[in-house]
């Protein structure tokens, strides 16, 4: 039995979940974004108690590395790194854009010609990635300005867009689209996806791994 612990603090919602051999066993969710740092370890301990396993029985730690909230990303990554170091376990680092595209692809397959994930970074700025209907990434995750969106998104019929952006704005910029406004990660699909990664040894160096910031960090003096 391979147990994988999943951590996602990249958004307002903090999530921890346990999968066994690619099947979701249990999860915890909190909507208290400002308390991710104080609640994440409590949620993990509660989760392990529920499924009745120890930290040593975890085969790997899976973390959603963003893009998303800078503070949230650092909290999730630091938690994963600490556990991996203490337990000598491998780290799997997933990009949120990849996960959202994959769950759409898992549902619709070749029904659509391409899958675009478009998440709001700030006003008139987005995080974007594009995949064809073989789930091959044709545009790696990156940060763009709205004025460049039409150039990057090839105009194809039956384009499926996962977005938290304004419907009218997105539809105007990219034609022939099906919009999906659900940008929450589907836990059963993530558990399956990460278990496949684990079986293919798609791990990262936990000491040097960094979140997917994708854009410059702005600070105020």
């Amino acid at each position: 039995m391979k147990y994988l612990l999943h951590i996602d603090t990249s958004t307002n919602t903090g999530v921890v979940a346990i999968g066994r051999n690619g099947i979701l066993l249990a999860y915890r969710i909190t909507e208290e974004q400002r308390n991710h740092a104080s609640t994440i370890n409590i949620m993990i301990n509660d989760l392990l108690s529920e499924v009745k396993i120890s930290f040593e029985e975890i085969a790997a730690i899976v973390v959603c590395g963003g893009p998303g909230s800078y503070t949230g990303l650092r909290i999730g990554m630091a938690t994963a790194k600490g556990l991996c170091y203490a337990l000598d376990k491998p780290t799997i680092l997933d990009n949120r854009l990849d996960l959202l595209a994959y769950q759409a692809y898992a549902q619709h397959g070749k029904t659509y010609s391409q899958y675009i994930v478009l998440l709001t970074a700030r006003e008139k700025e987005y995080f974007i990635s594009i995949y064809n209907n073989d789930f091959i990434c044709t545009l790696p995750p990156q940060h763009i300005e709205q004025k460049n969106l039409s150039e990057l998104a090839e105009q194809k019929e039956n384009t499926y867009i996962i977005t938290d952006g304004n419907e009218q704005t997105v539809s105007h910029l990219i034609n022939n689209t099906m919009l999906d406004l659900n940008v929450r990660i589907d836990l059963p699909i993530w558990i399956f996806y990460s278990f496949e990664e684990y079986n293919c040894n798609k791990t990262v160096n936990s000491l040097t791994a960094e979140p997917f910031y994708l854009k410059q960090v702005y600070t105020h003096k």
Side-chain angles (χ1 to χ4, degrees), residues 93-107:
L93 180 60
D94 285 329
N95 190 298
R96 187 168 172 235
L97 303 181
D98 290 336
L99 295 175
L100 292 173
Y102 181 76
Q103 64 193 43
Y105 176 77
Q107 181 178 358

Side-chain angles (χ1 to χ4, degrees), residues 37-48:
S38 61
T39 59
I40 189 70
N41 288 303
I42 295 172
M43 292 166 62
I44 291 172
N45 281 299
D46 287 347
L47 199 60
L48 295 182

